[in-house]
Amino acid sequence: MSVYIKLVYTFFMNIDLQAFFKETRLKTEKICEPLAVEDYVVQPIVDVSPPKWHLGHTTWFFEEFILVKYDENYKRFHEEYAFVFNSYYESVGKRVIRTNRGNLSRPTVDEIYRYRHYVTEAVLRVLQKNTTEEIAQLLEIGIHHEKQHQELLLTDIKYILGNNPLLPAYKTSFNENPKLISKTNDYVNVEEGIYEIGHREEGFCYDNELGLHKVYVDSYQIAKDLVSNKEYIAFIEDKGYQQTLLWHAEAWDWIQKNKIESPLYWHKIDDEWHQYTLAGLQKINLQAPVTHISYFEAFAFAEWSGNRLPTEFEWEIAQEKFEWGDRWEWTESAYLPYPNYKKAPGALGEYNGKFMVNQKVLRGGSIATPSNHTRPTYRNFFHPQLRWQFTGLRLVKV
Ligand SMILES: [Fe+2]
């Protein structure tokens, strides 16, 4: 590439990145608009962070990884915020432990918004100078990181409001079921063979999608539709939660200990199933894809139905032939590094790699996933008992 073309390319890449950055920062704040100030503070369980912590943490990410390193004139907004808003980066320094995020009455929500705007302006000033490729790459990760937190914000807000006895709506117009299932009972047939797995296109991806490699699969048939609430209710009514033989040992202990008898947010009122949604409490829509189930429940349902969950490879190979994106789909795959996986250098190597133990992969995306954030090779991952994300399942015929 000639120097001139490279300069023009860098110039336009900067304009795009600036717009992408600004739009992402605004979107996060837009998600919080319906909240009352008290909603920003609470942390009902360890997995759910207070909204104000998300606002501060996504800001700290840009401050720590870009401003402090690449802007010699940058002065931190507050010397202690790195301690308050670092999430899990051991190599960056000490931090407030995760369980204590909800104990922080300070900084106030107002102060955190001021912090956000201070950092947003400082990053834009850096971008208006001559941005290096290194800064552009860090900025891109920071933007995608914030998009991940946009999804967490929505699911954490849902948990906060959905566990309040008043069950307040987040936004009455919010539709969690944009696509209903008119059950086709169709399956996609995939021939046995060797297929390439992993990210191979232009454009952003996380390090855990890299390491393009080949995988052999036997022929299989994967459902075109997700499992619906109607089907899931049949499992409940057949006493699926009481049939020991359907469950893993850990799962059985988990449902006994926590008295689990239905998906998260389900309430039986006057003998009818309801579910708390971001639009408030609603009757269960039988044609909607089931959501807020753990891997444990997805597996037990598959056992009960006489089928199985797909592996993440089977999902990726077949995904072009079905619609996806409303529910994160549990797979049977453990979250492991691909062959030739390389962690990013430095602190950002902590982003994905250190979590590759004891978790299951989910594929697809959900109605809470920001637009253009997910892709066919995206690997989400959670512990098998967790269900506060918009999770669901798709079956493979046995
Ligand atoms: Fe984060």
Side-chain angles (χ1 to χ4, degrees):
M1 207 186 284
S2 78
V3 175
Y4 174 73
I5 293 174
K6 190 160 184 183
L7 275 175
V8 171
Y9 172 77
T10 310
F11 174 76
F12 283 109
M13 191 181 76
N14 266 353
I15 300 279
D16 280 357
L17 264 181
Q18 273 183 49
F20 194 25
F21 172 70
K22 281 200 259 189
E23 170 197 309
T24 306
R25 298 290 285 167
L26 281 174
K27 178 72 201 291
T28 306
E29 297 181 16
K30 187 105 188 125
I31 290 170
C32 293
E33 256 175 26
L35 300 184
V37 72
E38 291 83 354
D39 301 327
Y40 282 89
V41 189
V42 292
Q43 183 182 27
I45 53 168
V46 60
D47 305 297
V48 167
S49 294
K52 76 173 192 176
W53 185 87
H54 286 291
L55 293 175
H57 165 69
T58 46
T59 301
W60 165 81
F61 196 95
F62 291 110
E63 181 177 65
E64 193 66 45
F65 293 114
I66 296 181
L67 297 175
V68 171
K69 289 205 174 67
Y70 296 97
D71 182 356
E72 57 199 24
N73 300 318
Y74 182 71
K75 190 174 170 312
R76 283 182 190 267
F77 182 81
H78 193 297
E79 286 301 323
E80 293 301 319
Y81 278 13
F83 179 73
V84 176
F85 293 121
N86 177 2
S87 50
Y88 53 65
Y89 295 89
E90 300 285 349
S91 55
V92 176
K94 292 201 182 319
R95 65 215 163 274
V96 168
I97 59 167
R98 188 169 183 161
T99 45
N100 282 351
R101 289 176 190 167
N103 295 345
L104 303 170
S105 60
R106 306 297 172 96
T108 65
V109 173
D110 273 354
E111 279 163 342
I112 293 172
Y113 273 114
R114 282 206 295 282
Y115 174 44
R116 279 187 71 82
H117 301 153
Y118 177 86
V119 166
T120 300
E121 292 307 314
V123 170
L124 287 172
R125 277 198 301 277
V126 169
L127 297 184
Q128 274 145 20
K129 291 181 206 160
N130 191 16
T131 315
T132 62
E133 208 170 316
E134 205 175 342
I135 294 177
Q137 276 175 10
L138 286 168
L139 187 76
E140 205 175 20
I141 292 176
I143 293 170
H144 287 276
H145 169 253
E146 183 145 347
K147 281 175 170 280
Q148 286 184 316
H149 277 273
Q150 289 172 354
E151 176 154 12
L152 289 169
L153 256 172
L154 268 177
T155 52
D156 290 5
I157 290 168
K158 180 167 180 179
Y159 197 93
I160 289 166
L161 300 179
N163 281 280
N164 184 300
L166 304 178
L167 297 176
Y170 161 71
K171 202 192 270 177
T172 51
S173 59
F174 199 100
N175 183 6
E176 293 187 358
N177 305 312
K179 276 185 255 129
L180 294 177
I181 301 169
S182 43
K183 204 71 187 174
T184 59
N185 286 322
D186 278 351
Y187 286 84
V188 170
N189 293 308
V190 179
E191 294 299 317
E192 68 167 24
I194 295 169
Y195 295 87
E196 261 195 340
I197 297 294
H199 185 84
R200 64 183 80 84
E201 285 155 17
E202 290 286 302
F204 180 82
C205 76
Y206 286 110
D207 59 4
N208 62 4
E209 299 163 63
L210 295 172
L212 198 64
H213 62 290
K214 294 184 181 69
V215 165
Y216 170 80
V217 293
D218 272 340
S219 60
Y220 61 98
Q221 292 181 290
I222 185 166
K224 277 197 169 174
D225 304 311
L226 292 169
V227 167
S228 69
N229 283 329
K230 186 178 177 190
E231 291 167 295
Y232 203 83
I233 287 174
F235 165 71
I236 297 175
E237 288 179 350
D238 195 36
K239 305 214 175 310
Y241 281 93
Q242 287 78 43
Q243 295 185 43
T244 322
L245 296 180
L246 300 176
W247 300 82
H248 288 103
E250 265 184 47
W252 186 250
D253 290 346
W254 173 77
I255 60 171
Q256 302 308 307
K257 192 172 159 218
N258 298 288
K259 299 187 172 44
I260 307 279
E261 293 179 331
S262 61
L264 184 63
Y265 302 121
W266 282 38
H267 302 269
K268 206 164 200 182
I269 304 168
D270 295 334
D271 226 26
E272 234 181 323
W273 282 113
H274 290 65
Q275 185 165 31
Y276 174 78
T277 72
L278 284 165
L281 190 68
Q282 294 179 340
K283 275 188 192 168
I284 286 281
N285 186 328
L286 296 176
Q287 284 181 285
V290 68
T291 192
H292 295 301
I293 54 167
S294 60
Y295 161 78
F296 290 150
E297 290 160 294
F299 176 87
F301 179 92
E303 285 282 290
W304 171 81
S305 72
N307 295 298
R308 66 173 175 84
L309 299 176
T311 65
E312 64 168 318
F313 310 119
E314 288 171 332
W315 190 96
E316 186 172 320
I317 292 162
Q319 57 77 29
E320 274 182 343
K321 297 179 182 159
F322 52 74
E323 282 187 57
W324 53 268
D326 285 355
R327 302 289 183 255
W328 283 107
E329 302 179 29
W330 285 110
T331 72
E332 195 50 277
S333 298
Y335 181 46
L336 298 172
Y338 286 167
N340 310 316
Y341 167 70
K342 285 188 188 66
K343 276 187 207 170
L348 285 174
E350 294 189 52
Y351 200 108
N352 280 313
K354 70 180 187 179
F355 299 109
M356 291 174 174
V357 65
N358 295 337
Q359 308 212 44
K360 285 285 189 179
V361 174
L362 300 98
R363 290 302 196 100
S366 88
I367 44 123
T369 310
S371 51
N372 304 324
H373 182 62
T374 189
R375 56 198 155 264
T377 57
Y378 194 107
R379 305 174 79 203
N380 204 351
F381 52 92
F382 282 104
H383 287 109
Q385 78 279 13
L386 294 177
R387 53 189 199 156
W388 93 112
Q389 297 301 302
F390 286 93
T391 49
L393 80 155
R394 181 187 305 275
L395 295 170
V396 168
K397 216 175 199 174
V398 171

